[in-house]
Amino acid sequence: MMIISFFTTIIFGLLISLIASVVGLSNSQNKGLNLTEKYLSPDGRIRRIVYASRIIILDIVCLTFPIIIAQYINNDFAFKIILIITLIVIYGLTIIQSIKRLHDIGTKGWYALLLFIPVINIILNLILIFKDGENKTNEYGQNPKSIA
């Protein structure tokens, strides 16, 4: 039990550090936007580093949250319900970030639905992480690099 508590403390410390770095990266490119517009709206564009950072944070939450919740909930049914809700929320946030990144490379956000197809989702994520965005303003907004 002590080891799990130590592990969760370390994970939360790393998570807070990552969140602080992402907020620092995204504040310069999203001046004047509130938290909802930054993270919950599929409108706009985000850079590769912001996309990768947000996906890493969501992955860490997805991996550590079940371990933490399992310590406090003894009912299997309640644990499964909380886990399903958490995974739906995290996957929804991942789709929103993918749509923003697709906008940055100049394609429609509907391509984010390809993330539901095994193997293709890996290829799409690699494209989203490594392909540079359009250098000019496109129909989805201004170039995030020019805002920074």
Side-chain angles (χ1 to χ4, degrees):
M1 188 68 159
M2 182 92 149
I3 294 173
I4 293 175
S5 296
F6 178 73
F7 177 72
T8 55
T9 304
I10 290 173
I11 292 298
F12 275 127
L14 291 172
L15 185 61
I16 289 170
S17 299
L18 280 171
I19 289 171
S21 67
V22 169
V23 169
L25 285 171
S26 62
N27 278 344
S28 62
Q29 76 178 40
N30 292 324
K31 290 181 180 172
L33 296 180
N34 63 27
L35 192 64
T36 304
E37 291 170 332
K38 284 183 190 177
Y39 300 105
L40 301 178
S41 171
D43 298 331
R45 300 167 59 177
I46 57 173
R47 297 174 63 180
R48 292 180 287 183
I49 187 72
V50 174
Y51 173 76
S53 300
R54 290 178 183 175
I55 296 302
I56 288 170
I57 289 171
L58 290 170
D59 286 346
I60 290 171
V61 170
C62 187
L63 292 172
T64 58
F65 189 73
I67 296 169
I68 296 165
I69 293 300
Q71 293 179 15
Y72 300 107
I73 296 180
N74 296 328
N75 185 344
D76 281 343
F77 181 74
F79 175 75
K80 289 176 185 176
I81 294 296
I82 291 172
L83 186 62
I84 288 170
I85 291 169
T86 304
L87 292 176
I88 289 171
V89 169
I90 288 175
Y91 207 71
L93 292 171
T94 302
I95 294 293
I96 289 171
Q97 300 311 309
S98 299
I99 289 170
K100 288 182 177 188
R101 186 68 190 114
L102 284 164
H103 288 171
D104 189 44
I105 62 176
T107 59
K108 298 194 180 301
W110 287 103
Y111 287 111
L113 295 176
L114 294 174
L115 292 172
F116 289 104
I117 303 172
V119 179
I120 293 177
N121 62 357
I122 296 169
I123 296 167
L124 179 60
N125 270 314
L126 289 173
I127 291 169
L128 293 177
I129 291 171
F130 293 111
K131 184 172 173 39
D132 198 17
E134 290 185 338
N135 290 327
K136 59 185 186 317
T137 299
N138 64 17
E139 63 182 292
Y140 305 106
Q142 190 176 3
N143 182 4
K145 287 183 181 178
S146 66
I147 298 172

